Every structure is written in structure tokens, then in C-alpha cells.
Amino acid sequence: MAEATNTTKTADFDAIVVGGGFAGIYMVHRLRNLMGMTVRAYEAGSGIGGTWFWNRYPGARCDIQSMEYSYQFSEELQQEWEWSERFATQPEILKYANHVAERFDLMKDIQLNTPVASTIYDDATALWTVTTASGEVKTARFVVMATGCLSSANLPNIKGRDSFKGDTYHTGKWPHEGVDFTGKRVAVIGTGSSAIQSIPLIAQQAKHLTVFQRTASFTVPAHNQPLDPEFVRDFKSRYKEIRTHNWQQPFGQDFGSFGESALKISETERNDIYEKQWQKGGLSFMGTFDDLMFDRVANETAAEFIRTKIRGIVQDPAVADALAPRQIVGCKRLCVDTGFYDTFNRPNVTLVPLDNNPLEEITATGVRTGKGLVEVDVVVFATGFDAMTGAVSKIDVRGTGGRTLQDKWAEGPKTYLGLATAGFPNMFFVTGPGSPSVLSNMLPSIEQHVEWIAECIDHVSTHQGRTIEALPESEETWVHHVNDVAHTTLYPNCNSWYLGANVPGKVRVFMPYIGVNTYVDKCRDVVAKGYEGFRIAR
Ligand code: NA7
């Protein structure tokens, strides 16, 4: 371990980690097993796994390929773990998280069933005091917020919501015992990724399913399949090379672009290429051409290709038309599905578009729109998350001078590199707003942040630093840079959760940083220049 300072001796722990998802558990490994620090992680759930612990809805699956949605810090781990399918299911990902925790003996420092209520900095001692919801109080020199990007469920305040007499569920807080929809009339509110994954399976069980759609989403087929052992063998033999290559890509993974511009070739040629990508399946559809997220006309060619697909799959032209999104493809996260559009050919499924027919209220017996009441036994809220800042905002975080994080971020989250925020010394965020996070493969991005934070803590400790803190001016410059980069693309042009637009009253700021490759270089450069943009106080 790095040499202890006086303040460390008076703290209960060198570091407290808030959250036991993939970020939290790796942070514990890094700080305790590799640096010899004392660490306590607090996790609200009764198990580790974060988003993969809570999101147990039918069909929950990662939209990044399983061979790449995994840790790379341990060669033994990545060689020994066997994924069974191209896109891993939630239970398999959760099993993997638990395997990692067991393999590296992490559970003894992770306290489950323990939401954190507050984390308050003391200027005099330079220590953080962390208080749990049950009143346990512990101090630490460093605090790492590993609270996740999609961990705070968004349950819209629809009139009459709590008057419903049947069962209600949120996809992001699904019961562990599962839900049996057999013989039930079910309403699903929302058509984002969670709805798109769960609707085909709910429809197979339910007596009748009514889907309430506010905005149609674009989705491409997953073409999920069992992994071929030969493919796995080859992939594992090239893991290092593949991971290194991915760090050089803007989204941290290789989408295999077919050409620079969608507009430089004929329509027939272009549609043949889209067709190849459609058959391949998955998010790489967005990498078909380099200008899809930069040029509206180019984007429209991809959008229209998907709309044509929808019209070809969905038999009722009016339903097909309602399911065909009007917005920019990729502007809201592209979804990846198995049989979503086909589900609307089933006689027991009804689509209720809400564009010109707003959802008016939930009554004791159902969901009412301008076109009348749909009586149901169950309402499923597939209404997403207060993304990127929701979980942190629920905790009372106070930095120097007692200033709250809520106050500091009142006009939108402000961070330097998504890693730290001025006025909150020795506090770090894993995949915080202002870092690539949700516009990257989350697992490698988590690792990159955890390793950067661990190295930083080690640097501060070995150099007898008392605190490290982002400078306000470097933070301002970074926030503007994140915004400027976003505005060179089409991303800010729709009501996405990247902008916070899905939560009423949330300030609209584009939160993720676009460009894994440039971001990773910047983080390295900051370290090489002696933590440029930070102040280390002795
Ligand atoms: P999303 O993608 O935020 O989707 C939420 C859906 O719920 C979306 O269709 C929303 O419509 C809809 N919604 C939200 N509030 C309402 C109200 N009040 N009335 C009607 N419809 C509403 O969340 P997911 O959980 O599906 O996916 C989140 C991410 O997890 C996903 O991107 C993947 O990365 C994994 P809207 O589009 O806002 O009009």
C-alpha cells in the first residue's frame, strides 16, 4: 500500500466505494488486492451486479456481444470464463459478476442491503463521512461513487398511477421470483430497449398485451445464437489484440464500417450494404457508414431502410406505420431485439400510439387515453431511468464548505473528465457524466476509470498529498468541450435520456462524452503531465 498519511490513520477506511455493480466490485479488487488499502463498498441491493441485479425483466440481455462485455484486467479470468450466447442474458451476466467476486474474494468487503444516505466532506480533517440509510457512520479518505448510469428507475408521475388495483412492475426493479402473465391482460408503457426486449416474451404468456407507445424506437435484430466453440477459441487467442484495437475506436468497439459516406454510392449499393449489416445483427448497424451520426441526409437513408423492414414484417399497414420512427436513427439509443416487430402480428397484441392520443390517466382498472379506457390486470412500466445522474442525486453529497452536489449540478452535471468535480476533494465518479460511459462498451470503460482512479489515489498517497481536486477552470473547459463535441453530431437532436430529456424537470445537458479513443488519450495525457487540471494539496 501507499504510505499512509496522518489523516488515513484516523479514518475507518482508506476508501469507501458506493455501489456493488461491475464498477464497485472492480474498485474493491483494485484498491484492496492490488494496493493493500482498506476498503468498504456499500451496495443497496441484496446482491452485487448493479443494473444486472435489478433488471430481471423477461428477455433482459446485453446489447454488446458477450465476448467483449467482460473484464480484461485478468488474462486468466477472460480465458477461463465461458459465455454461452452471442448476447448474454441477464442471469448469465449476474452469474459472471458473482464469479468474479468469488474468484477475487471481494464479498468480505462489500456490505449488501445498505443504501448510502449521505457522504459529507470535512474540510478540517479532509475525510469523508459516509452515513448509510440504516444510520451506520464510517469515515474514509477517498470516496468512489460507483453508482451506475442506469440504476435509478424513472417511474413517471402519471395521474392516478397509484390508484391501480392490479399488479404494477417497473422493468428496472423486477421481482426476483419473476412474474407469471398467463391469462392476464397486460399493459406495457414505453417502447425503449427494456420494452422491446420484454414485449415478445410477455406477449407469449399474456391473454392480451396492450403496448402504449409515446415515441417509436428504432430496433435491429440481434440474431442471437449459441457461441460456436471454434469462434470462442479464436477470439480468446486474440483477446489482447482485439481489446487494444477497440480502444482506438470512437465507441470502444469495432463496428466494421463499410465506407466513409452513405451518400457517395447508389441507393441499390447502399441498401445491399445495410442488408448485410441487418443480417449480421446488433448495434454495428450504426457503423455501416461513417457519416450516419453527422449528416441528416445520410442518417435518413438508414432510417428509411429500417422503416421499410418494419413495413415488410408488420402485416397491418396502420400498425407498421405507427411503429415506424420518425426521428434520427441512433439519436436515442438504437435497440436490439428478438422478434419485436413480429410480435405485433399476434392476435393478442394491440399497439396504442400516444402521439395524438395522450395517456390521460391510470384508473383502478386500467389505462385511459383520449380513445378510452383499456382495462388490464397488470401494468408494466418500461419507462427507463433517471440516467447518469439519478443515483448520485439521491444521495446527500456535500463537499468543501458544505456545498451540496445537487446545488453544484443544478444547471446540469459538471465534471472534469467525468471522473471528479471541483469542490469535492478525494471524490471520484466511475463512468460519470462527461465520460464516454453509455456511448461505449460499459465494461472496458468501467475498467479504464477504475484503473485511472486507483493510479491517481496511489499517486496522491505516495507523494504525501492530502487531497486531489479538479480545478474549476479545467472542469469548465471540459464541460464545454463535451458539449461542443456532441454538437458536431446529430445526438443532441432528440428527446433522449443522454440529454436528460426523459425526466420531467431535468436540465437538458448532453451528458456522455463522444469518442472513446480521444478520451482515453486525454486521460493518459493528464497523468503524464502530473495530473494536469487537478490540484494536489499537501
Ligand atoms: P428508455 O430507453 O428510456 O425507454 C423508456 C420508454 O418509456 C420510452 O419509450 C419512453 O418514451 C417511455 N416513457 C417514459 N415516460 C413515459 C410516460 N410518462 N408516458 C409514456 N411513455 C413514457 O428506457 P429503457 O429501460 O427501455 O432502456 C434504457 C437503456 O437500458 C437502453 O437505452 C439500453 O442502453 C439499456 P419516450 O421515448 O420518452 O417518448
Side-chain angles (χ1 to χ4, degrees), residues 63 150 154 156 158 171 189-195 212 214-215 217 332-333 354 359 382-385 495 497 502:
D63 56 9
L150 297 168
N154 172 41
I158 298 168
T171 46
I189 299 178
T191 48
S193 181
S194 305
F212 292 86
R214 189 164 69 179
T215 312
S217 295
K332 288 189 178 190
R333 191 175 170 105
L354 301 172
L359 202 164
T383 45
F385 302 90
N495 295 325
W497 54 258
N502 63 326

Side-chain angles (χ1 to χ4, degrees), residues 45-177:
S46 59
I48 59 158
T51 201
W52 298 108
F53 175 85
W54 299 103
N55 284 268
R56 297 170 186 244
Y57 60 82
R61 206 180 267 285
C62 189
D63 56 9
I64 304 284
Q65 303 200 50
S66 51
M67 293 300 293
E68 295 177 57
Y69 193 78
S70 56
Y71 290 119
Q72 55 195 288
F73 68 83
S74 160
E75 183 58 16
E76 294 78 21
L77 173 66
Q78 68 177 0
Q79 289 299 331
E80 79 196 8
W81 181 260
E82 298 289 347
W83 295 105
S84 62
E85 294 174 69
R86 180 182 182 197
F87 295 104
T89 60
Q90 173 272 330
E92 191 167 32
I93 299 171
L94 193 57
K95 202 170 150 202
Y96 173 69
N98 281 289
H99 168 77
V100 173
E102 200 179 309
R103 195 185 193 288
F104 298 98
D105 192 23
L106 305 176
M107 292 311 291
K108 65 181 183 213
D109 292 309
I110 302 172
Q111 190 169 317
L112 302 173
N113 299 306
T114 312
V116 166
S118 66
T119 168
I120 295 172
Y121 183 72
D122 178 7
D123 293 295
T125 59
L127 295 181
W128 285 94
T129 299
V130 175
T131 305
T132 70
S134 60
E136 186 180 334
V137 181
K138 296 286 178 203
T139 53
R141 194 168 160 225
F142 296 97
V143 167
V144 181
M145 304 303 276
T147 40
C149 292
L150 297 168
S151 48
S152 177
N154 172 41
L155 188 59
N157 195 14
I158 298 168
K159 184 181 163 201
R161 188 191 68 197
D162 300 332
S163 68
F164 184 64
K165 294 277 184 268
D167 296 327
T168 58
Y169 304 99
H170 190 286
T171 46
K173 282 187 173 171
W174 205 255
H176 287 201
E177 62 280 12

Side-chain angles (χ1 to χ4, degrees), residues 211-233:
V211 176
F212 292 86
Q213 171 188 271
R214 189 164 69 179
T215 312
S217 295
F218 284 102
T219 173
V220 296
H223 296 311
N224 185 43
Q225 56 195 338
L227 281 173
D228 171 15
E230 185 48 38
F231 168 82
V232 173
R233 196 201 55 72

